[in-house]
Amino acid sequence: FQPDFTWIKNRDAADNHMLFDAVRGATKYLNSNTTNTEATDAQSLSSFNSNGFSVGNNVAVNTNTEDYVAWNWKANGSGATNLDGTITSTVSANTNAGISVVGYTNNNTASQSIGHGLGVTPKVIITKRLTGSGWGFFGPILGVDKYMYLDTTDAQATASGYMPAPSSTVVNTGTNIWSALNSGTDDSLLYCFAEVEGFSSFGSYTGNGNADGPFIYTGFEPAFVLIKQTDGTPGWLLHDDKREPDNVNSLELAPNSSGGDVTATDRMDFLSNGFKMRSTNTAGNASGGNYVFLAFAEN
């Protein structure tokens, strides 16, 4: 298929994560592990194609003999104008898959709203200002006014008045202006995700600190799982079934780190209806630790 959101990582070297989407256009990238401003390089992801994507010789996407992974989602092309919010947005939404890519221009004003195009309330929202600041991670998965950052190991924090609940049509900004959501007058980006039965599951679990760890039900066999402890500071964990097609799934990457593949000790099993933690490591299974997860099936 023609992807509209492509995330690439060099598995063999300490290169930045490279995130591309069709709303901003090919060749323009952001790095999930940094607060860097959006950059443009014709030798990065050079085009979104009908059956995939093409890359140039940027080392973060194509170094000779080095191994890479790419995760791809289908939205709806380069997007269309959305007037549902007080801030006009450009939205590329795939309502069947529960994903939308949203571009908009900040107005540095409290109590605003931004149309997301999903038609249902997103459970997970990831936001990034194109000229700086961190990668905000928030939404009903955490609760009102609670947030984390995709580019750090920080635990969940609370900021009263910053992030009210989203609706089926808009992402709401709070009575206070959050730098990652509507600060300044520059351009920003939202990746919005709603659960779709049989394809995506977003939720939480509590660790038990045991090698016979908790089982997390998703209703499908995961192809991609992202985990973060909310009450501690271990890094994010990202596993998939392409780098590690067999159990135990132990190859991990961290969205907050430029590091390549790390082989963890018996991290988790991907099962027909969910995943099961197999490690006592605190990043995924501290005794009494609270975690959130994003899981996607292959299609």
Side-chain angles (χ1 to χ4, degrees), residues 58-143:
N58 183 300
V59 295
V61 299
N62 185 21
T63 299
N64 188 33
T65 75
E66 293 185 348
D67 292 331
Y68 293 80
V69 61
W71 307 289
N72 300 271
W73 289 263
K74 182 174 179 59
N76 191 23
S78 59
T81 299
N82 183 296
L83 301 176
D84 289 338
T86 57
I87 297 175
T88 299
S89 57
T90 299
V91 175
S92 177
N94 182 343
T95 57
N96 290 328
I99 174 177
S100 68
V101 181
V102 181
Y104 65 98
T105 300
N106 299 342
N107 66 9
N108 203 41
T109 304
S111 301
Q112 300 294 289
S113 58
I114 305 147
H116 57 67
L118 287 177
V120 295
T121 302
K123 195 168 184 178
V124 175
I125 302 160
I126 298 172
T127 180
K128 179 72 173 73
R129 284 176 60 198
L130 303 191
T131 56
S133 82
W135 286 82
F137 179 98
F138 66 108
I141 192 171
L142 297 180

Side-chain angles (χ1 to χ4, degrees), residues 267-281:
R267 180 66 74 189
M268 69 181 72
D269 284 340
F270 281 4
L271 306 174
S272 62
N273 59 350
F275 61 96
K276 182 175 176 62
M277 305 308 296
R278 294 292 190 184
S279 171
T280 61
N281 190 292

Side-chain angles (χ1 to χ4, degrees), residues 9-13 236-239 243-244 248-254 257-267 281 283:
K9 179 66 181 80
N10 188 338
R11 301 172 55 192
D12 290 339
W236 294 79
L237 302 179
L238 205 168
H239 290 253
R243 288 177 298 135
E244 186 74 277
V248 177
N249 194 308
S250 298
L251 279 179
E252 63 187 39
L253 290 164
S257 169
S258 65
D261 272 340
V262 173
T263 302
T265 302
D266 296 342
R267 180 66 74 189
N281 190 292

Side-chain angles (χ1 to χ4, degrees), residues 5-20:
F5 173 27
T6 294
W7 181 345
I8 300 173
K9 179 66 181 80
N10 188 338
R11 301 172 55 192
D12 290 339
D15 289 331
N16 289 333
H17 291 255
M18 304 284 279
L19 279 68
F20 305 85

Side-chain angles (χ1 to χ4, degrees), residues 26 32-33 43 52 75 81-82 97 122 147 155 160 165 185 188 215 224 255 265 271 277 289:
S32 69
N33 56 295
Q43 294 301 319
T81 299
N82 183 296
Y147 67 95
S160 180
T185 56
S188 284
F215 165 72
F224 172 106
T265 302
L271 306 174
M277 305 308 296

